[in-house]
Amino acid sequence: MQDRSSTTLFPEMSDVDMALTGSSTAAPLADRMRPRTLAEFVGQQHFVGEGRVLRRLIEGGGTLPSLILWGPPGTGKTTLGRLLAEKTAARFVALSAVFSGVKDVRAAIAEARLDRRRGRRTILFIDEIHRFNKAQQDALLPAVEDGTVTLVGATTENPSFEVISALLSRSRVLVLNPLDEEEVAKIVRRALTDTERGLGSFNPQISDELITRLAHSSGGDARMALSALEAAVTATEPDEHDARPITSETLIEALGRAQFAYDKGGEEHYNLASALIKSLRNSDVNAALYWLARMIEGGADPVFIVRRLCILASEDIGLADPEAMVQAAAAAEITQLIGLPEALFPLTQATIYLARAPKSNAVLRAYSAAHRDAVETAREPVPLHLRNAPTPLMKHLGYGKEYRYVHSDASAKEEMSCLPEKLKGKVYFEDDQTTEDTEEDKDI
């Protein structure tokens, strides 16, 4: 039976109980498996663990402050809002900032005022509250101020920038963390064995290795993991024993090949990075763009990518085109300033520039040669004429003697050696380049 204390104003946030009235596929798995009690809730122990403030609020059933729940998708923001409403015997009204406007907000507040006269509180849950404009957020203020509603706003964006200061000052911001892999795996296993709300009736069979990989690839988003799991299970035909063995290939297709295959700390991560750098070094613009897109769409950290571009700009281009380092450094600064998705443009621009630039490893060869001699001659003293002479004693010992100031003695450049005696005449840097910057060499 549906709980009458809950009002749903948009279909994708329908009550969990609605999914239990008929087919097990009446609602998405993530919605059916939504925790009904705090004991079922997984994650966010920093404020729902034993003795924590929010847990005491939920279990105590007392008056709640307005809350802004800030965190990534699939971390429990909506579930916490529902649990708060249930434990406080308040009516739960859910709005989506994507589908609702000022009219919907005012209607919900008007109904809350009537309930307040009957002695019942209302929790107004607004999903993606950051999508409300200033006028829409302003419409909430009087009701939040006088306690007509307890606002619980959920946002994936920094509320400091997206929620008006007047609402922030009347609310407490709680930061939800991405679920760790063990927490996602726990949720997945619960869904696999639950015959009432989950997938247990399908008799799915999946290895621990695949569950671990699914948990890793979901990026801390339980909804993503459950959606992929449900798709994989329902797409698998029962075998002769009426079981559904889930294969790696099925799960990859369900989650999305790029998302599943990309491992930010694994071999494939470094394989893709290697492919990008080697394509750039080979001046292959098209291949470089492809590998860049593979990394970005697979979920690579854009800062990791742009660091590699900065290294290549000096190691493989260097003085053959000093502007390459400027382009890479600018892309790095912009990427850290604005982040994805907008950062893909400076990343792409830098990639194209570096691929088309003339190539030279003279900087690398110069340092490598100097490094070898530096290691082998680490005990070689600094020539006296190059030594610092801040005291009379040092000057008496010959420190700085016969040093020639090139600005007043131009011939010192050729006649005064600045290397140790054993290395005099050594040449480390040779100003050359691997490829010439000609029109024929550039991709068109």
Side-chain angles (χ1 to χ4, degrees):
M1 180 180 296
Q2 184 178 354
D3 183 358
R4 293 184 180 180
S5 68
S6 179
T7 300
T8 301
L9 301 184
F10 48 99
E12 64 275 24
M13 294 187 61
S14 57
D15 265 356
V16 173
D17 293 339
M18 292 180 65
L20 306 179
T21 59
S23 167
S24 62
T25 58
L29 177 63
D31 197 49
R32 302 199 308 270
M33 291 302 299
R34 193 183 299 282
R36 295 171 294 188
T37 65
L38 195 59
E40 293 181 358
F41 191 84
V42 177
Q44 315 309 331
Q45 291 302 300
H46 57 294
F47 55 71
V48 297
E50 290 293 337
R52 298 293 183 176
V53 174
L54 192 58
R55 189 183 190 96
R56 293 201 303 267
L57 286 173
I58 293 174
E59 293 180 339
T63 301
L64 291 171
S66 288
L67 302 171
I68 302 294
L69 305 177
W70 173 28
T75 53
K77 298 185 293 294
T78 303
T79 297
L80 282 176
R82 292 180 181 277
L83 290 175
L84 286 167
E86 179 185 344
K87 289 297 183 180
T88 57
R91 192 168 64 91
F92 183 81
V93 178
L95 295 178
S96 168
V98 176
F99 303 108
S100 306
V102 172
K103 181 180 178 181
D104 302 297
V105 170
R106 288 174 176 164
I109 291 173
E111 192 171 352
R113 285 201 175 98
L114 293 175
D115 277 338
R116 190 182 185 189
R117 291 171 189 157
R118 301 184 188 110
R120 190 174 194 184
R121 288 173 291 171
T122 298
I123 289 182
L124 178 59
F125 179 87
I126 300 181
D127 192 34
E128 298 191 84
I129 192 172
H130 59 276
R131 294 183 181 272
F132 267 175
N133 60 34
K134 185 178 184 299
Q136 291 168 313
Q137 293 186 38
D138 281 340
L140 292 166
L141 279 175
V144 173
E145 178 72 33
D146 66 15
T148 299
V149 299
T150 297
L151 173 67
V152 178
T155 176
T156 57
E157 303 294 332
N158 189 331
S160 299
F161 305 121
E162 306 296 341
V163 179
I164 61 174
S165 57
L167 272 183
L168 281 179
S169 68
R170 292 162 174 80
S171 308
R172 177 172 178 178
V173 177
L174 299 180
V175 181
L176 283 76
N177 298 323
L179 302 179
D180 64 33
E181 292 179 24
E182 290 185 5
E183 290 168 341
V184 175
K186 180 178 180 179
I187 292 170
V188 166
R189 287 191 171 91
R190 182 183 292 168
L192 286 167
T193 57
D194 190 316
T195 56
E196 179 189 5
R197 297 182 291 153
L199 301 168
S201 60
F202 290 96
N203 195 18
Q205 295 180 348
I206 182 171
S207 68
D208 287 339
E209 179 184 355
L210 278 183
I211 291 176
T212 299
R213 197 168 177 196
L214 172 61
H216 176 79
S217 300
S218 68
D221 185 338
R223 186 184 296 109
M224 178 188 294
L226 291 175
S227 297
L229 180 68
E230 182 175 34
V233 171
T234 55
T236 301
E237 293 294 330
D239 61 16
E240 62 273 18
H241 304 293
D242 204 31
R244 301 195 185 209
I246 311 303
T247 65
S248 174
E249 186 63 24
T250 303
L251 199 55
I252 288 173
E253 293 299 328
L255 185 59
R257 188 168 297 274
Q259 180 73 29
F260 193 82
Y262 198 86
D263 183 351
K264 295 180 184 179
E267 179 183 354
E268 189 65 10
H269 168 69
Y270 293 103
N271 285 340
L272 291 173
S274 176
L276 171 61
I277 295 305
K278 288 172 180 173
S279 299
L280 287 167
R281 184 178 293 140
N282 206 47
S283 298
D284 190 330
V285 176
N286 298 310
L289 287 171
Y290 170 77
W291 295 118
L292 173 69
R294 278 281 299 272
M295 294 188 75
I296 291 175
E297 297 306 317
D301 181 357
V303 175
F304 171 85
I305 297 173
V306 82
R307 283 173 183 163
R308 297 310 181 270
L309 297 184
C310 287
I311 294 168
L312 179 129
S314 184
E315 179 183 350
D316 292 295
I317 298 172
L319 296 176
D321 182 359
E323 181 66 21
M325 186 178 288
V326 176
Q327 288 279 333
E333 184 176 356
I334 295 170
T335 295
Q336 294 187 71
L337 179 66
I338 65 176
L340 290 176
E342 290 83 357
L344 66 87
F345 300 116
L347 284 172
T348 301
Q349 177 177 327
T351 296
I352 294 171
Y353 189 97
L354 297 179
R356 291 168 58 89
K359 303 302 186 294
S360 170
N361 68 347
V363 171
L364 169 64
R365 289 187 287 108
Y367 183 79
S368 297
H371 171 263
R372 285 193 298 270
D373 280 346
V375 172
E376 293 173 3
T377 62
R379 297 288 183 180
E380 191 70 16
V382 175
L384 282 172
H385 65 280
L386 296 180
R387 295 187 190 184
N388 186 32
T391 68
L393 174 62
M394 290 178 173
K395 289 179 181 178
H396 177 73
L397 293 174
Y399 282 34
K401 187 179 180 181
E402 298 181 358
Y403 171 70
R404 296 164 66 179
Y405 188 54
V406 72
H407 295 292
S408 57
D409 184 0
S411 59
K413 179 180 178 182
E414 303 297 334
E415 297 174 2
M416 182 178 68
S417 175
C418 294
L419 283 168
E421 188 65 28
K422 288 184 179 180
L423 299 175
K424 189 175 291 186
K426 271 278 191 174
V427 175
Y428 298 116
F429 175 71
E430 296 180 2
D431 191 5
D432 68 347
Q433 57 188 50
T434 306
T435 59
E436 295 297 325
D437 184 19
T438 63
E439 289 301 316
E440 290 76 17
D441 290 329
K442 292 182 178 179
D443 290 270
I444 299 175

